[in-house]
Amino acid sequence: MKSSRTKLERYRRQTILEQVGEEGQAALGAARVLVVGLGGLGSPVALYLAAAGVGTLGLVDFDLVELSNLQRQMIFSESQVGQPKVMAARARLLALNSALKVNVHKIALNQANAAELIAGYDLVVDCSDNFAARYAINDACLALGKPFVFGSLYRFEGQVSFFCHEEAPCYRCFYPDLEQAGGDCATAQLVPNCAEAGILGSMAGVIGSLQATEALKYLLGQKEELLAASVLMFDGLAMSFSRLGLKPRTDCHCRNAAMRGHLSGMDGGIVSGADVSAGSAAASGAAVSISPAQLAQMLDEDEDLLLLDVRALKEHRAMRLRNSTLIPLPELTERISELDGEERPIVVYCRSGVRSRKACSLLRDCGFEDVRNLTGGILAWYREFEEKSIESDAALETY
Ligand SMILES: [Zn+2]
């Protein structure tokens, strides 16, 4: 299934879309998405992302497949009852698309491990069914400068949103704390437990499909149209959609630049495949990260390091970290010899941390050992330190 002709044929129905094309397909192939929760929402999300050719999927779930799951969790089959969900789902996804890489994390995501799990991915799709996991995803995403697609379901009502995207609201702007979230049950939004509340499987299909669509749009660069400042509500009984506008809450900790980096210590270590799951991040070149605060400290202490900007020339001219070297990501492979003999630690950055993570992985494949990815990119730096250590060409002041 690996010839380029087969690949062209496989994705033809989407590459003919102006918003996809071959470039978009390549972006999907390079993308790494973490699906948290393999229940009614996670099933369609994982299936659609795999079918669309998202190159690396991470699956997080600690549970086993139960008979009562089959009514709505379409990724599983009868023969898989009793198996760990992550393994059963992995088998199904690879049967669907053998070109994928599927990392399994048989673990319950929580505040202690969320950042480590999420650090190796570009985007998270929250298909969890409890508030604690959502807050953990939210806080880790904020700290790492990564967005997540939110979805939830209660009986015939569902919600979808896109939180933590750049300056957009976070989940805590929407539900400020656990007490309030719990107290909101009467609004029938987010009571998490299908076992208690009851659910039609097709409702999970609707909301999960919307989440998958939002994830694909993001990966394809369709970022203007995301649900980043609103929550889409679906009422399956009335068969109606509505949109709730959402603004950042001024007292939410996501408005505090320091908070966006406050967990970065957790992100400072190597994301090791061995202790999280089989075939996980380190093996596939996940980034060792450095937060803006950690970089600032290194710069303040005059540590000798190479700052490598992997954005385009235009972006580099408009605004960059002082004394950085430019090698745009698309040219990195052929210009790698320019780094021959480089023994200083290399801190790679881009706009928001996605391109630089790919560059880190490439550099490590080429034998560079001390390579770190600036989390959240120059945007995160700017949020925290503004003009400090920033320079630009006078002729091009807009960024
Ligand atoms: Zn917030």
Side-chain angles (χ1 to χ4, degrees), residues 170 172-173 252 254:
C170 78
R172 288 183 189 273
C173 292
C252 183
C254 72

Side-chain angles (χ1 to χ4, degrees), residues 301-318:
E301 290 167 359
D302 279 330
E303 278 197 42
D304 202 13
L305 50 87
L306 171 67
L307 278 169
L308 182 64
D309 183 356
V310 294
R311 298 171 301 159
L313 175 62
K314 194 173 154 196
E315 297 173 276
H316 177 78
R317 282 184 173 159

Side-chain angles (χ1 to χ4, degrees), residues 138 142 164 168-174 247-249 251-255 260:
N138 185 72
L142 271 181
C164 300
C170 78
Y171 179 62
R172 288 183 189 273
C173 292
F174 184 41
K247 283 192 179 145
R249 221 165 31 84
D251 61 341
C252 183
H253 73 199
C254 72
R255 296 301 101 193
R260 285 193 177 244

Side-chain angles (χ1 to χ4, degrees), residues 118-191:
I118 291 170
Y121 296 88
D122 307 321
L123 176 70
V124 179
V125 187
D126 165 29
C127 303
S128 65
D129 61 358
N130 64 86
F131 295 111
R134 288 198 181 114
Y135 285 122
I137 291 169
N138 185 72
D139 296 348
C141 281
L142 271 181
L144 297 168
K146 297 179 189 207
F148 73 100
V149 183
F150 160 83
S152 78
L153 202 51
Y154 180 76
R155 295 185 176 151
F156 288 91
E157 297 185 27
Q159 302 179 327
V160 182
S161 189
F162 196 86
F163 289 120
C164 300
H165 180 49
E166 297 176 354
E167 292 302 313
C170 78
Y171 179 62
R172 288 183 189 273
C173 292
F174 184 41
Y175 276 110
D177 55 51
L178 207 54
E179 284 69 35
Q180 179 168 346
D184 249 337
C185 294
T187 59
Q189 311 294 6
L190 280 163
V191 178

